[in-house]
Amino acid sequence: MFEPTARLGRIAILWRGDESARRTASPETSRFSAVFAALADVGVDAAPVVYEDDVLDAVRTQLATFDGVLVWVNPIHDGRNRANLDALLREIAARGVWVSAHPDVILKMGTKEVLHRTRTMSWGCDTALYRTPEQMRAELPLRLAASSRVIKRNRGNGGRGVWKVEALTRPPDRLMVRVLDATKEESEDVALDEFLERCVEYFDDGSVIDQPFQPRLSEGVVRCYMAGDRCAGFGHHKVKALVDEPTARAEAGPRLYVGKTDPRFQGLRRLMEDEWTPQLTSLLDIPSSDLPMIWDADFMFGPPRSDGTDTYVLGEINVSSVFPIPDEAPAEIARRVVDKLQSKL
Protein backbone atom coordinates (compact mmCIF):
# COMPACT_ATOMS: atom_id res chain seq x y z
CA MET A 1 0.00 0.00 0.00
CA PHE A 2 1.26 3.49 -0.84
CA GLU A 3 2.38 5.38 2.28
CA PRO A 4 2.10 9.14 1.72
CA THR A 5 4.75 11.37 3.28
CA ALA A 6 2.53 14.46 3.30
CA ARG A 7 -1.15 15.25 3.00
CA LEU A 8 -1.99 16.56 -0.45
CA GLY A 9 -5.23 18.40 0.22
CA ARG A 10 -8.78 18.27 1.54
CA ILE A 11 -11.67 16.87 -0.48
CA ALA A 12 -15.40 16.92 0.32
CA ILE A 13 -17.59 14.03 -0.76
CA LEU A 14 -21.09 15.42 -1.19
CA TRP A 15 -24.40 13.59 -1.43
CA ARG A 16 -28.04 14.41 -0.79
CA GLY A 17 -29.67 13.63 2.55
CA ASP A 18 -31.99 14.85 5.26
CA GLU A 19 -31.21 16.19 8.74
CA SER A 20 -30.81 12.69 10.17
CA ALA A 21 -28.31 11.80 7.44
CA ARG A 22 -26.37 14.98 8.16
CA ARG A 23 -26.13 14.17 11.87
CA THR A 24 -24.89 10.61 11.33
CA ALA A 25 -22.68 11.04 8.26
CA SER A 26 -19.21 9.56 8.63
CA PRO A 27 -16.56 8.24 6.22
CA GLU A 28 -16.62 4.80 7.80
CA THR A 29 -20.36 4.16 7.60
CA SER A 30 -21.30 5.92 4.37
CA ARG A 31 -21.80 4.07 1.09
CA PHE A 32 -18.63 5.85 -0.09
CA SER A 33 -16.44 4.31 2.63
CA ALA A 34 -14.19 2.65 0.03
CA VAL A 35 -13.65 6.00 -1.71
CA PHE A 36 -12.79 7.69 1.61
CA ALA A 37 -10.32 4.90 2.37
CA ALA A 38 -8.69 5.06 -1.09
CA LEU A 39 -8.23 8.81 -0.77
CA ALA A 40 -6.65 8.38 2.67
CA ASP A 41 -4.24 5.81 1.23
CA VAL A 42 -2.84 8.34 -1.25
CA GLY A 43 -2.56 11.23 1.18
CA VAL A 44 -5.84 13.05 0.62
CA ASP A 45 -8.02 14.06 3.56
CA ALA A 46 -11.72 13.66 2.81
CA ALA A 47 -14.87 14.54 4.75
CA PRO A 48 -18.60 14.01 4.15
CA VAL A 49 -20.90 16.90 3.23
CA VAL A 50 -24.60 16.03 3.14
CA TYR A 51 -26.65 18.44 1.03
CA GLU A 52 -30.27 19.51 0.84
CA ASP A 53 -31.71 22.77 -0.44
CA ASP A 54 -32.71 23.91 3.04
CA VAL A 55 -29.08 23.92 4.23
CA LEU A 56 -27.57 25.49 1.11
CA ASP A 57 -25.93 28.37 2.97
CA ALA A 58 -24.34 26.04 5.51
CA VAL A 59 -23.00 23.81 2.74
CA ARG A 60 -21.60 26.86 0.96
CA THR A 61 -19.62 27.71 4.10
CA GLN A 62 -18.41 24.13 4.43
CA LEU A 63 -17.26 23.78 0.83
CA ALA A 64 -15.23 26.99 1.00
CA THR A 65 -12.81 25.17 3.35
CA PHE A 66 -11.97 22.38 0.87
CA ASP A 67 -9.65 22.15 -2.12
CA GLY A 68 -12.21 20.16 -4.08
CA VAL A 69 -15.52 18.34 -3.92
CA LEU A 70 -16.69 15.05 -5.43
CA VAL A 71 -20.45 15.19 -5.99
CA TRP A 72 -22.91 12.28 -6.04
CA VAL A 73 -26.41 13.75 -6.61
CA ASN A 74 -28.96 12.50 -9.15
CA PRO A 75 -30.51 15.03 -11.57
CA ILE A 76 -34.02 14.12 -10.37
CA HIS A 77 -34.88 12.56 -7.00
CA ASP A 78 -38.28 12.44 -5.27
CA GLY A 79 -39.49 15.42 -7.29
CA ARG A 80 -36.39 17.50 -6.57
CA ASN A 81 -33.80 18.63 -9.08
CA ARG A 82 -30.26 19.98 -8.92
CA ALA A 83 -30.97 23.60 -9.86
CA ASN A 84 -29.98 25.13 -6.51
CA LEU A 85 -27.07 22.77 -5.99
CA ASP A 86 -25.68 23.41 -9.46
CA ALA A 87 -25.79 27.17 -8.89
CA LEU A 88 -23.88 26.66 -5.65
CA LEU A 89 -21.29 24.43 -7.30
CA ARG A 90 -20.70 26.97 -10.06
CA GLU A 91 -20.24 29.65 -7.40
CA ILE A 92 -17.68 27.75 -5.36
CA ALA A 93 -15.85 26.60 -8.51
CA ALA A 94 -15.51 30.25 -9.53
CA ARG A 95 -13.86 30.85 -6.14
CA GLY A 96 -11.22 28.21 -6.84
CA VAL A 97 -12.70 25.03 -5.35
CA TRP A 98 -12.35 22.17 -7.83
CA VAL A 99 -15.71 20.47 -8.55
CA SER A 100 -16.22 17.00 -10.03
CA ALA A 101 -18.39 16.76 -11.93
CA HIS A 102 -18.81 20.46 -12.68
CA PRO A 103 -22.41 21.28 -13.67
CA ASP A 104 -21.25 22.66 -17.04
CA VAL A 105 -19.48 19.37 -17.79
CA ILE A 106 -22.64 17.47 -16.82
CA LEU A 107 -24.66 19.55 -19.28
CA LYS A 108 -22.24 18.66 -22.06
CA MET A 109 -21.75 14.95 -21.48
CA GLY A 110 -24.27 13.80 -18.86
CA THR A 111 -27.52 14.48 -20.71
CA LYS A 112 -29.08 12.40 -23.48
CA GLU A 113 -28.27 15.13 -25.98
CA VAL A 114 -24.70 13.76 -26.03
CA LEU A 115 -26.10 10.84 -28.06
CA HIS A 116 -26.96 13.24 -30.86
CA ARG A 117 -23.79 15.32 -30.62
CA THR A 118 -21.60 12.20 -30.89
CA ARG A 119 -23.73 10.28 -33.40
CA THR A 120 -20.97 10.40 -36.04
CA MET A 121 -18.55 8.51 -33.78
CA SER A 122 -18.32 4.75 -34.23
CA TRP A 123 -20.40 4.25 -31.07
CA GLY A 124 -23.21 6.26 -32.68
CA CYS A 125 -26.31 5.35 -34.65
CA ASP A 126 -29.21 7.04 -36.47
CA THR A 127 -29.98 9.44 -33.64
CA ALA A 128 -32.45 12.31 -33.98
CA LEU A 129 -32.97 15.30 -31.72
CA TYR A 130 -36.31 17.10 -31.37
CA ARG A 131 -36.31 20.66 -30.06
CA THR A 132 -40.08 21.11 -30.06
CA PRO A 133 -43.21 18.94 -29.82
CA GLU A 134 -44.12 20.08 -33.32
CA GLN A 135 -40.84 18.78 -34.74
CA MET A 136 -41.34 15.44 -33.00
CA ARG A 137 -44.91 15.21 -34.29
CA ALA A 138 -43.70 15.80 -37.85
CA GLU A 139 -40.61 13.57 -37.90
CA LEU A 140 -41.25 10.63 -35.57
CA PRO A 141 -43.87 8.92 -37.83
CA LEU A 142 -41.35 8.83 -40.69
CA ARG A 143 -38.76 7.12 -38.52
CA LEU A 144 -41.30 4.69 -37.08
CA ALA A 145 -42.12 3.59 -40.62
CA ALA A 146 -38.56 2.26 -40.90
CA SER A 147 -38.00 0.71 -37.45
CA SER A 148 -38.95 0.71 -33.80
CA ARG A 149 -37.52 3.68 -31.93
CA VAL A 150 -36.45 4.55 -28.41
CA ILE A 151 -37.51 7.95 -27.09
CA LYS A 152 -35.41 9.46 -24.30
CA ARG A 153 -35.95 12.48 -22.10
CA ASN A 154 -32.85 14.69 -22.15
CA ARG A 155 -32.35 14.69 -18.37
CA GLY A 156 -33.36 11.91 -16.04
CA ASN A 157 -32.27 8.73 -14.34
CA GLY A 158 -33.57 5.29 -13.49
CA GLY A 159 -35.23 4.84 -16.89
CA ARG A 160 -37.73 7.64 -16.32
CA GLY A 161 -38.75 9.27 -19.58
CA VAL A 162 -37.45 6.40 -21.74
CA TRP A 163 -39.84 4.55 -24.09
CA LYS A 164 -39.74 1.94 -26.81
CA VAL A 165 -42.17 2.92 -29.57
CA GLU A 166 -43.34 0.61 -32.35
CA ALA A 167 -45.77 1.44 -35.16
CA LEU A 168 -48.86 -0.77 -35.43
CA THR A 169 -51.23 -1.22 -38.34
CA ARG A 170 -52.26 2.22 -39.48
CA PRO A 171 -56.01 2.89 -39.13
CA PRO A 172 -57.66 5.19 -41.67
CA ASP A 173 -57.64 8.20 -39.37
CA ARG A 174 -54.62 8.07 -37.06
CA LEU A 175 -51.43 6.14 -36.37
CA MET A 176 -51.47 3.66 -33.49
CA VAL A 177 -48.28 2.73 -31.65
CA ARG A 178 -47.22 0.17 -29.07
CA VAL A 179 -45.26 1.88 -26.28
CA LEU A 180 -43.25 0.36 -23.45
CA ASP A 181 -42.15 2.52 -20.52
CA ALA A 182 -38.63 1.54 -19.38
CA THR A 183 -39.82 1.56 -15.76
CA LYS A 184 -42.73 -0.84 -16.42
CA GLU A 185 -43.20 -4.42 -17.58
CA GLU A 186 -46.26 -4.19 -19.82
CA SER A 187 -46.59 -2.33 -23.11
CA GLU A 188 -49.76 -0.56 -24.18
CA ASP A 189 -51.32 0.37 -27.50
CA VAL A 190 -52.19 4.03 -27.87
CA ALA A 191 -52.69 6.60 -30.58
CA LEU A 192 -49.45 8.32 -31.51
CA ASP A 193 -51.05 11.69 -30.73
CA GLU A 194 -51.73 10.51 -27.17
CA PHE A 195 -48.14 9.35 -26.72
CA LEU A 196 -46.83 12.65 -28.04
CA GLU A 197 -48.91 14.48 -25.44
CA ARG A 198 -47.19 12.46 -22.72
CA CYS A 199 -43.84 13.66 -24.03
CA VAL A 200 -44.65 17.39 -24.09
CA GLU A 201 -43.33 17.93 -20.55
CA TYR A 202 -39.97 16.44 -21.57
CA PHE A 203 -39.27 19.54 -23.63
CA ASP A 204 -38.85 21.45 -20.38
CA ASP A 205 -35.36 19.90 -20.45
CA GLY A 206 -34.68 21.42 -23.88
CA SER A 207 -34.97 18.41 -26.18
CA VAL A 208 -36.02 14.80 -26.72
CA ILE A 209 -33.70 12.16 -28.19
CA ASP A 210 -34.80 9.45 -30.66
CA GLN A 211 -32.66 6.37 -31.38
CA PRO A 212 -33.37 3.14 -33.27
CA PHE A 213 -34.18 0.21 -31.00
CA GLN A 214 -31.23 -2.18 -30.79
CA PRO A 215 -32.32 -5.80 -31.48
CA ARG A 216 -29.55 -7.24 -29.28
CA LEU A 217 -30.72 -5.41 -26.16
CA SER A 218 -31.89 -8.70 -24.65
CA GLU A 219 -28.23 -9.82 -24.58
CA GLY A 220 -27.52 -7.20 -21.97
CA VAL A 221 -25.85 -3.86 -21.39
CA VAL A 222 -22.15 -3.28 -20.72
CA ARG A 223 -21.28 -0.33 -18.50
CA CYS A 224 -17.75 1.01 -18.82
CA TYR A 225 -16.65 2.95 -15.75
CA MET A 226 -14.14 5.73 -16.31
CA ALA A 227 -11.99 7.71 -13.88
CA GLY A 228 -11.08 10.74 -15.94
CA ASP A 229 -9.76 9.30 -19.20
CA ARG A 230 -8.81 5.87 -17.81
CA CYS A 231 -11.00 2.80 -17.47
CA ALA A 232 -11.87 1.89 -13.87
CA GLY A 233 -13.81 -1.34 -14.49
CA PHE A 234 -16.95 -2.75 -16.05
CA GLY A 235 -20.44 -3.87 -15.19
CA HIS A 236 -22.61 -6.22 -17.25
CA HIS A 237 -26.16 -7.35 -16.80
CA LYS A 238 -29.16 -8.55 -18.73
CA VAL A 239 -31.96 -6.03 -18.50
CA LYS A 240 -35.74 -5.97 -18.33
CA ALA A 241 -36.13 -2.36 -19.44
CA LEU A 242 -37.60 -2.14 -22.97
CA VAL A 243 -37.35 -5.92 -23.45
CA ASP A 244 -40.61 -7.50 -24.61
CA GLU A 245 -39.81 -11.21 -24.73
CA PRO A 246 -40.85 -13.00 -21.50
CA THR A 247 -37.94 -15.44 -21.73
CA ALA A 248 -35.39 -12.66 -22.08
CA ARG A 249 -36.99 -10.71 -19.24
CA ALA A 250 -36.78 -13.79 -17.02
CA GLU A 251 -33.02 -13.89 -17.60
CA ALA A 252 -32.54 -10.34 -16.34
CA GLY A 253 -30.47 -10.00 -13.21
CA PRO A 254 -28.30 -7.65 -11.17
CA ARG A 255 -25.27 -5.92 -12.65
CA LEU A 256 -22.07 -7.88 -12.11
CA TYR A 257 -18.93 -5.82 -11.57
CA VAL A 258 -15.45 -6.71 -12.80
CA GLY A 259 -12.08 -4.99 -13.01
CA LYS A 260 -10.67 -3.22 -16.01
CA THR A 261 -8.55 -6.23 -17.01
CA ASP A 262 -11.51 -8.55 -17.63
CA PRO A 263 -10.62 -10.22 -20.98
CA ARG A 264 -14.19 -10.01 -22.31
CA PHE A 265 -14.07 -6.23 -22.50
CA GLN A 266 -10.52 -5.37 -23.55
CA GLY A 267 -11.67 -4.30 -27.01
CA LEU A 268 -14.16 -1.92 -25.43
CA ARG A 269 -11.52 -0.66 -23.00
CA ARG A 270 -9.11 0.17 -25.83
CA LEU A 271 -11.86 1.97 -27.72
CA MET A 272 -12.83 4.01 -24.67
CA GLU A 273 -9.32 4.99 -23.62
CA ASP A 274 -7.62 5.42 -26.99
CA GLU A 275 -10.38 6.51 -29.37
CA TRP A 276 -13.75 7.42 -27.96
CA THR A 277 -12.83 9.50 -24.91
CA PRO A 278 -10.43 11.74 -26.89
CA GLN A 279 -13.09 12.14 -29.59
CA LEU A 280 -15.72 12.91 -26.96
CA THR A 281 -13.69 15.63 -25.27
CA SER A 282 -12.84 17.16 -28.64
CA LEU A 283 -16.43 17.19 -29.91
CA LEU A 284 -17.79 18.59 -26.64
CA ASP A 285 -14.88 21.01 -26.04
CA ILE A 286 -14.09 19.55 -22.61
CA PRO A 287 -10.44 19.66 -21.48
CA SER A 288 -9.40 16.15 -20.49
CA SER A 289 -8.42 17.52 -17.08
CA ASP A 290 -12.08 18.47 -16.51
CA LEU A 291 -13.43 14.96 -17.04
CA PRO A 292 -15.28 13.69 -13.97
CA MET A 293 -13.42 11.59 -11.44
CA ILE A 294 -16.02 8.88 -12.04
CA TRP A 295 -18.41 8.55 -14.97
CA ASP A 296 -19.73 5.72 -17.04
CA ALA A 297 -20.98 4.89 -20.51
CA ASP A 298 -23.71 2.32 -21.11
CA PHE A 299 -23.38 0.26 -24.28
CA MET A 300 -25.77 -2.03 -26.07
CA PHE A 301 -24.44 -4.66 -28.43
CA GLY A 302 -24.58 -3.59 -32.05
CA PRO A 303 -24.35 -5.76 -35.19
CA PRO A 304 -21.42 -8.22 -35.00
CA ARG A 305 -18.45 -7.55 -37.26
CA SER A 306 -17.58 -9.95 -40.07
CA ASP A 307 -15.05 -11.67 -37.78
CA GLY A 308 -17.71 -12.22 -35.10
CA THR A 309 -16.44 -9.61 -32.65
CA ASP A 310 -18.91 -7.23 -31.06
CA THR A 311 -19.69 -3.66 -31.91
CA TYR A 312 -21.20 -1.31 -29.35
CA VAL A 313 -23.87 1.38 -29.47
CA LEU A 314 -23.88 4.10 -26.82
CA GLY A 315 -27.12 4.24 -24.84
CA GLU A 316 -26.25 6.94 -22.32
CA ILE A 317 -23.49 8.54 -20.30
CA ASN A 318 -23.93 8.86 -16.53
CA VAL A 319 -22.08 11.61 -14.71
CA SER A 320 -24.16 13.07 -11.90
CA SER A 321 -24.26 10.14 -9.47
CA VAL A 322 -22.37 7.05 -10.60
CA PHE A 323 -22.81 4.42 -7.89
CA PRO A 324 -22.36 1.56 -7.09
CA ILE A 325 -18.99 1.10 -8.76
CA PRO A 326 -16.53 -1.78 -9.27
CA ASP A 327 -14.28 -2.63 -6.33
CA GLU A 328 -11.25 -1.36 -8.27
CA ALA A 329 -12.78 2.03 -9.02
CA PRO A 330 -12.06 3.86 -5.71
CA ALA A 331 -8.30 3.44 -6.23
CA GLU A 332 -8.62 4.81 -9.77
CA ILE A 333 -10.63 7.76 -8.47
CA ALA A 334 -8.00 8.44 -5.81
CA ARG A 335 -5.20 8.45 -8.38
CA ARG A 336 -7.08 10.94 -10.54
CA VAL A 337 -7.77 13.15 -7.49
CA VAL A 338 -4.05 13.20 -6.68
CA ASP A 339 -3.26 14.24 -10.25
CA LYS A 340 -5.79 17.05 -10.02
CA LEU A 341 -4.57 18.33 -6.66
CA GLN A 342 -0.94 18.22 -7.76
CA SER A 343 -1.77 20.18 -10.90
CA LYS A 344 -3.15 22.96 -8.69
CA LEU A 345 0.03 23.24 -6.60
Side-chain angles (χ1 to χ4, degrees):
M1 182 179 296
F2 173 71
E3 293 292 340
T5 58
R7 311 311 289 177
L8 295 175
R10 296 185 70 241
I11 293 293
I13 295 182
L14 182 150
W15 65 90
R16 190 190 289 276
D18 58 16
E19 182 179 354
S20 174
R22 290 192 290 274
R23 287 197 310 267
T24 60
S26 73
E28 295 78 17
T29 61
S30 81
R31 61 177 175 149
F32 305 108
S33 58
V35 179
F36 281 110
L39 290 169
D41 284 345
V42 295
V44 176
D45 294 322
V49 174
V50 181
Y51 172 85
E52 194 46 87
D53 289 348
D54 62 352
V55 293
L56 187 148
D57 290 337
V59 171
R60 176 188 289 111
T61 300
Q62 280 183 281
L63 293 181
T65 66
F66 290 92
D67 299 297
V69 53
L70 305 179
V71 181
W72 269 275
V73 176
N74 279 322
I76 300 173
H77 180 76
D78 290 342
R80 295 165 292 177
N81 60 37
R82 285 181 46 135
N84 293 330
L85 174 61
D86 286 347
L88 170 61
L89 294 175
R90 289 187 175 95
E91 177 187 331
I92 65 140
R95 295 180 180 180
V97 178
W98 161 62
V99 176
S100 179
H102 192 286
D104 293 345
V105 173
I106 292 175
L107 287 176
K108 288 184 177 182
M109 64 183 291
T111 64
K112 303 300 190 299
E113 193 165 323
V114 72
L115 301 173
H116 185 258
R117 296 189 65 182
T118 64
R119 66 193 183 281
T120 58
M121 291 171 50
S122 59
W123 72 21
C125 58
D126 172 28
T127 303
L129 181 146
Y130 305 129
R131 290 291 185 192
T132 65
E134 292 75 22
Q135 182 188 4
M136 185 174 177
R137 188 179 304 275
E139 298 180 15
L140 178 56
L142 300 176
R143 295 188 172 92
L144 285 171
S147 68
S148 299
R149 309 293 294 187
V150 176
I151 300 300
K152 299 182 177 182
R153 183 175 188 159
N154 192 32
R155 300 202 72 173
N157 53 278
R160 287 178 284 273
V162 178
W163 301 80
K164 179 185 178 184
V165 185
E166 178 184 3
L168 300 176
T169 303
R170 183 189 299 269
D173 53 347
R174 58 179 181 167
L175 178 63
M176 299 293 294
V177 292
R178 177 162 294 155
V179 298
L180 178 59
D181 183 336
T183 66
K184 298 180 180 178
E185 297 190 4
E186 299 292 335
S187 61
E188 56 180 317
D189 297 348
V190 298
L192 178 60
D193 288 345
E194 179 182 336
F195 173 71
L196 291 171
E197 283 300 315
R198 298 181 190 182
C199 297
V200 167
E201 65 177 279
Y202 300 164
F203 289 93
D204 293 343
D205 297 327
S207 63
V208 168
I209 299 300
D210 173 359
Q211 288 185 300
F213 177 77
Q214 298 299 318
R216 297 181 67 191
L217 179 62
S218 61
E219 297 179 36
V221 172
V222 180
R223 176 168 287 185
C224 180
Y225 292 87
M226 300 291 291
D229 60 359
R230 298 291 94 186
C231 179
F234 296 94
H236 175 259
H237 72 307
K238 292 194 174 182
V239 298
K240 286 185 178 181
L242 304 186
V243 175
D244 289 305
E245 303 88 346
T247 302
R249 292 180 63 84
E251 294 176 349
R255 183 178 292 114
L256 302 178
Y257 299 93
V258 296
K260 64 183 180 182
T261 60
D262 189 292
R264 294 174 297 171
F265 305 124
Q266 292 311 293
L268 179 56
R269 177 185 174 186
R270 286 190 292 271
L271 284 167
M272 281 296 291
E273 292 185 340
D274 300 338
E275 180 179 332
W276 287 340
T277 299
Q279 290 178 2
L280 176 73
T281 55
S282 177
L283 279 170
L284 302 186
D285 192 24
I286 298 174
S288 60
S289 59
D290 288 348
L291 283 168
M293 291 299 98
I294 187 69
W295 57 285
D296 70 58
D298 280 350
F299 292 98
M300 300 162 287
F301 293 104
R305 299 184 183 92
S306 57
D307 62 2
T309 58
D310 286 314
T311 63
Y312 298 93
V313 177
L314 181 67
E316 68 175 340
I317 291 177
N318 301 292
V319 176
S320 301
S321 186
V322 177
F323 202 85
I325 54 180
D327 291 342
E328 296 80 2
E332 293 285 350
I333 294 171
R335 282 190 279 270
R336 301 287 81 77
V337 169
V338 168
D339 291 343
K340 189 68 176 181
L341 291 174
Q342 289 180 336
S343 73
K344 294 179 66 177
L345 296 178

